[in-house]
Amino acid sequence: MVWKRWRRLSFDERNQVIHCTVKKEFIRRMDVLLVEGETKVITNFTVSPASGRFRTSGHVYKIVLAQTTTIRTDLDLPPNVLGLHPVRFNDIHDGKLNPDFLIDVFGQIVEIGNVEILNVSKKQTKRLTMVLRDTNDVRLNCVLWGEFAEQLEAFAQNLHEAVVVFVLRFGKIRLYQNVWSVGNCYNCSIVMNNPDLPEVIAFRDRLPKDGVTLSYTHPNQLTIVNSVSVRADFLTHSPRRTISEIVSASENIKCVTMATIMSIDTEYGWYYMECQTCQKKVLPVDMEAVKEESPQLDFSKKLWKCPKCEDYVDNVVPVFLLHFRVMDGTGETKFLLFDKLAMEVVNTTAAELVDNFDEFKRDNMCRIRRSCQ
Ligand SMILES: [Zn+2]
């Protein structure tokens, strides 16, 4: 069994792998009992259909560990079964593999390319690109991020004509500009260089005997300083979720979803008034009561109570608060959109809409009055 941060683990029995998750409330307990690389006997768990974009196995079911689950060590079992299933690079290039499944990759490092520093979400992170080859001499680009890039860079320091077999467990394949590559999947991947495992030694023996080796010297200066916008970073690095996955999520997540807006729900209104000084929501007041209480105030404009400014204010604007009813193929729900985002969808400001709405009301009132005369 392999237990990895990110609440994800897999079991091997007869070299089969199944995805497993731990409910949020038991992570702390399981983290103590489950040790990466150790073999354990697990009893009393639930089984449910596997889904999602970060699956560690092609198995149709996954295991969910719960309160009743017990975990023990059985000395009769082999102490460490890794259950690595390296894929053929040609299967990646031919598009035979589903990017929603995390894969294992064995590859000889042929070349280490640029090490770049990128600004991702206001933090600097390293990105290392390298070329791997499999036993059929098929090449594959591999992109490592963050600590994975740093670890590989440190390992490769001053290597000279070395044969390095790189093992990536739970890697994620990506298609970018029609080229497939593999990379680490957040921090849930496992990386090993020349590990002393029988399957890796066998892989190494099957590599073409053409003298391809790796020599690497750290460039004195980091090559490129590049930057990725927060928006682009959010869209490419946030997990995709369907509506049913969002609805059933048991914790706060940042994710990207694609859904159709069915309608805007106006049951609870569609805007509120905001104080222009402090951008906080203001509350309506009973003007007659305020007149009696503070006659010195200017009553030529309607007044509002601002809790932040702790005062009556008249410089207020309407801002959107829209409830969208949305759906995708898996379900439906409501999304709440605040002013700026709502403006992008509705293509106008709340102030304009309120003005038009008031004019519309006035016109109609005149018409109604006229027709009543
Ligand atoms: Zn205010």
Side-chain angles (χ1 to χ4, degrees):
M1 177 200 55
V2 175
W3 162 238
K4 192 63 194 163
R5 300 179 298 268
W6 220 40
R7 279 154 267 134
R8 207 148 285 222
L9 67 164
S10 308
F11 299 80
D12 297 349
E13 194 201 323
R14 296 190 195 110
N15 216 23
Q16 285 197 11
V17 178
I18 190 164
H19 187 100
C20 175
T21 58
V22 179
K23 291 205 166 160
K24 196 173 96 190
E25 50 272 42
F26 310 125
I27 289 173
R28 195 169 283 178
R29 197 183 121 218
M30 296 299 177
D31 220 0
V32 179
L33 295 170
L34 298 169
V35 181
E36 191 174 317
E38 282 188 6
T39 307
K40 300 278 183 185
V41 178
I42 298 181
T43 35
N44 278 339
F45 46 80
T46 59
V47 174
S48 60
S51 62
R53 291 189 70 241
F54 297 95
R55 290 198 242 169
T56 52
S57 126
H59 206 293
V60 290
Y61 291 106
K62 67 177 176 186
I63 283 174
V64 183
L65 304 190
Q67 188 155 25
T68 51
T69 304
T70 56
I71 296 169
R72 64 186 171 83
T73 307
D74 186 337
L75 295 175
D76 292 337
L77 288 172
N80 44 25
V81 189
L82 276 174
L84 289 160
H85 290 87
V87 299
R88 282 158 23 109
F89 290 0
N90 265 337
D91 288 346
I92 299 177
H93 294 307
D94 293 347
K96 286 184 187 165
L97 302 179
N98 179 343
D100 287 352
F101 292 90
L102 304 181
I103 56 159
D104 298 338
V105 162
F106 289 6
Q108 182 191 359
I109 304 178
V110 176
E111 187 190 320
I112 295 179
N114 290 336
V115 179
E116 296 156 287
I117 294 192
L118 291 102
N119 293 314
V120 176
S121 306
K122 293 177 188 157
K123 268 192 301 189
Q124 291 207 324
T125 187
K126 265 191 192 178
R127 181 175 70 182
L128 180 147
T129 312
M130 60 183 180
V131 180
L132 306 175
R133 70 165 178 175
D134 66 9
T135 50
N136 297 319
D137 201 22
V138 178
R139 313 278 163 125
L140 177 69
N141 290 335
C142 176
V143 182
L144 297 178
W145 292 85
E147 59 179 290
F148 292 95
E150 278 164 26
Q151 279 164 18
L152 193 104
E153 212 192 357
F155 169 82
Q157 276 310 311
N158 306 315
L159 278 180
H160 186 65
E161 294 181 4
V163 175
V164 178
V165 177
F166 172 82
V167 175
L168 174 65
R169 165 139 242 210
F170 303 141
K172 182 116 176 117
I173 52 169
R174 291 180 181 86
L175 183 64
Y176 180 66
Q177 292 180 341
N178 279 326
V179 179
W180 283 101
S181 66
V182 70
N184 60 287
C185 174
Y186 298 93
N187 62 357
C188 84
S189 300
I190 300 171
V191 158
M192 292 174 275
N193 294 302
N194 281 339
D196 203 9
L197 299 168
E199 52 267 61
V200 175
I201 293 163
F203 175 90
R204 195 187 168 108
D205 288 344
R206 289 201 313 275
L207 282 168
K209 306 279 179 288
D210 52 10
V212 170
T213 57
L214 177 72
S215 298
Y216 183 72
T217 5
H218 185 283
N220 283 333
Q221 283 178 336
L222 284 163
T223 49
I224 304 167
V225 175
N226 204 333
S227 81
V228 176
S229 76
V230 173
R231 190 188 172 92
D233 173 56
F234 175 72
L235 289 175
T236 48
H237 287 91
S238 302
R240 298 277 190 286
R241 291 280 187 271
T242 62
I243 287 184
S244 74
E245 285 172 319
I246 293 171
V247 171
S248 61
S250 55
E251 57 189 5
N252 292 336
I253 49 164
K254 212 164 99 174
C255 65
V256 174
T257 191
M258 200 165 86
T260 307
I261 299 172
M262 294 189 289
S263 62
I264 297 175
D265 194 341
T266 53
E267 195 184 333
Y268 302 102
W270 51 274
Y271 71 95
Y272 63 91
M273 302 305 284
E274 183 185 273
C275 168
Q276 279 187 293
T277 312
C278 68
Q279 274 79 49
K280 285 283 174 289
K281 183 180 175 177
V282 291
L283 306 167
V285 293
D286 178 351
M287 292 288 274
E288 295 308 316
V290 179
K291 258 180 209 167
E292 271 177 36
E293 189 188 292
S294 328
Q296 78 285 2
L297 291 175
D298 174 11
F299 291 98
S300 58
K301 281 186 181 173
K302 178 162 174 46
L303 293 180
W304 303 78
K305 177 86 187 165
C306 175
K308 180 99 187 282
C309 299
E310 293 180 338
D311 201 0
Y312 294 108
V313 293
D314 61 16
N315 57 337
V316 295
V317 280
V319 294
F320 281 121
L321 179 69
L322 293 183
H323 297 80
F324 285 101
R325 281 184 59 225
V326 296
M327 65 175 290
D328 68 2
T330 66
E332 57 174 272
T333 187
K334 274 185 199 171
F335 284 167
L336 196 61
L337 257 74
F338 288 94
D339 201 43
K340 281 212 177 66
L341 288 173
M343 242 153 62
E344 278 183 35
V345 178
V346 185
N347 234 338
T348 179
T349 63
E352 264 171 61
L353 264 192
V354 170
D355 279 353
N356 290 342
F357 192 62
D358 284 349
E359 262 167 45
F360 171 80
K361 264 197 311 196
R362 252 198 324 272
D363 289 354
N364 280 288
M365 284 310 280
C366 294
R367 229 170 282 148
I368 291 163
R369 260 185 229 126
R370 246 178 273 132
S371 58
C372 292
Q373 280 166 359

